[in-house]
Amino acid sequence: MIRVTAVLPQSIAAELGLQQGTELVSVNGQELEDFLDWEFLTAEEEFVLHVRQPDGEEIEFEIERPLGESMGISLEPARIRRCANRCDFCFVDGLPDGLRDVLYIRDDDYRLSFRYGNFATLTNLKPNDVRRIIDYRLSPLYVSVHATDPTIRRYLLRNPTAPEIIPQLREFAEHGIEFHTQIVMSPGVNDGAVLQQTLRDLYEFGSSILGCSVVPVGLTEYSKHHLVREPTADECRAAIALIEERSEVARSERGINWVFGADELYVRAGVELPGPEIYDGFDQVENGVGSVRWLQQRIETLSDGLHGWDGKKIGVVTGTAMAQLMPMVLEPLAKITGAAFDLIPVVNTLFGPTVTTAGLLPGMAVQQALKTRRDLDLALLPGESVNDDALFIDSMSLDLLVRSVPVEIRLSHDFTDVLQVPVPA
Ligand code: SF4
């Protein structure tokens, strides 16, 4: 059963009399578990919908609607599937106490992997989940592999019952499911020869594995430092060499690069980022893989709309990781717009200075950095630094930030999304 949270006026659902609180019980006699069932079972033009109204009345509707027309309802969010692992590098273990409860949830949900590109380990799948992935063709999935050797993977996941990943992927691949994969590299565990073997196994698996990223372990002050550490520059350089080795094979055999290092891997290694051509379709840009090259491309492609900034001064707030790479983006942007960009790297006061990701910036630290910046015409913040409720990781609201600093603030994902509209003269 899924509950309706809102009904659009003049929609099919409104005509049927569905309302907030209506329970969607089944479609064509099949019980509904979550949004996936709803979307896939109602994909046809005709279906029978069984609902329970808030007053307890049960009704069956024979629906007939033009293909593609929405029913006009919002559904309650699915209950997130919890993770069955306990990785030493888990972000949740690296959180300080006292944050929002939801941040302490270890989610590992194949549905979110399909819908939003969240990485899942597939270690908590039940037979019904396997059936749904196959029946609904949930492809591509984003899978955290880490290591193909079952013993090493179980060690990394701290899950002695984790199923072997290769047979698991094979079963899905036989039904047409494709995968984007990632390896979170923990030095001394799955780097070196293990990384080489994992890349070989995944590559030789065949074309169902669309690509693989290698991301260095990232820790906070609160992480389990007695059990796991971040890789050194030499270890990152060694990983880059293995990536290039495998990528060369992929290029000559399949005409694609197939394996990519996260931008962070290059920063830590002190190695220049590769060119944009190595990222294939930028499929893992949300995972910090090729972000800088992707930004450069976006800016170049959309440069025509970025007018009206001549002589303006724009502050760019970012985490300290991106701050090292950001000049590569801001220099061309300054040439195109005529604006002067002032990079404002913000040290993470909540997780400690080792956490350099822009998405985890506390609102308080941003406020501190901007509170005297009357010299700026505009300040840009990374779009991912607030959640859907416009809250920073420390629960400070964007609204409060906006009211407490002397400069206009805009959230941006790629600069071009907010620089199309100049600030008032
Ligand atoms: S898979 Fe590992 S890192 Fe991800 S949520 Fe579970 S324990 Fe944390």
Side-chain angles (χ1 to χ4, degrees), residues 116-179:
Y116 302 114
N118 295 8
F119 278 90
T121 65
L122 309 183
T123 52
N124 57 356
L125 297 186
K126 300 187 174 71
N128 187 42
D129 300 323
V130 173
R131 181 192 62 76
R132 279 169 30 114
I133 290 172
I134 293 169
D135 287 355
Y136 294 161
R137 279 296 275 271
L138 303 186
S139 176
L141 290 177
Y142 289 74
V143 181
S144 286
V145 171
H146 303 332
T148 48
D149 179 301
T151 308
I152 294 171
R153 187 166 192 257
R154 285 175 190 138
Y155 174 83
L156 282 158
L157 298 173
R158 296 282 179 183
N159 181 352
T161 61
E164 287 193 35
I165 189 70
I166 290 289
Q168 209 176 10
L169 295 180
R170 189 156 318 283
E171 181 182 358
F172 289 129
E174 280 165 5
H175 291 89
I177 310 296
E178 297 180 317
F179 313 95

Side-chain angles (χ1 to χ4, degrees), residues 202-334:
L202 292 177
Y203 178 76
E204 288 176 355
F205 187 93
S207 58
S208 301
I209 295 186
L210 302 168
C212 181
S213 64
V214 180
V215 182
V217 150
L219 303 175
T220 79
E221 264 183 16
Y222 306 91
S223 299
K224 298 174 175 172
H225 290 273
H226 57 296
L227 295 173
V228 60
R229 65 176 174 84
E230 294 180 340
T232 63
D234 279 347
E235 287 164 338
C236 290
R237 279 194 285 274
I240 291 169
L242 293 177
I243 290 168
E244 285 172 357
E245 176 189 278
R246 179 50 50 189
S247 183
E248 211 174 299
V249 176
R251 265 196 304 276
S252 69
E253 292 182 356
R254 297 185 191 166
I256 53 173
N257 292 283
W258 187 81
V259 56
F260 327 97
D263 291 2
E264 175 88 13
L265 189 71
Y266 290 89
V267 172
R268 287 182 189 225
V271 170
E272 197 183 330
L273 286 176
E277 67 286 352
I278 79 106
Y279 294 102
D280 296 346
F282 286 101
D283 288 317
Q284 293 205 31
V285 72
E286 303 275 334
N287 198 22
V289 180
S291 319
V292 170
R293 297 305 186 197
W294 180 80
L295 275 175
Q296 288 173 325
Q297 279 200 346
R298 289 279 297 170
I299 290 164
E300 205 182 311
T301 315
L302 298 168
S303 60
D304 281 353
L306 308 180
H307 302 302
W309 295 98
D310 227 359
K312 300 287 185 199
K313 189 170 178 187
I314 302 174
V316 177
V317 173
T318 186
T320 48
M322 266 312 251
Q324 299 172 60
L325 301 171
M326 203 48 95
M328 296 167 72
V329 175
L330 297 184
E331 276 164 30
L333 196 57

Side-chain angles (χ1 to χ4, degrees), residues 42 53 108 120 139 162 196 240 262 267 304-305 347 352 360 390 404 421:
T42 61
Q53 296 289 37
D108 192 3
S139 176
Q196 192 174 32
I240 291 169
V267 172
D304 281 353
V347 174
L360 298 177
S404 61
V421 182

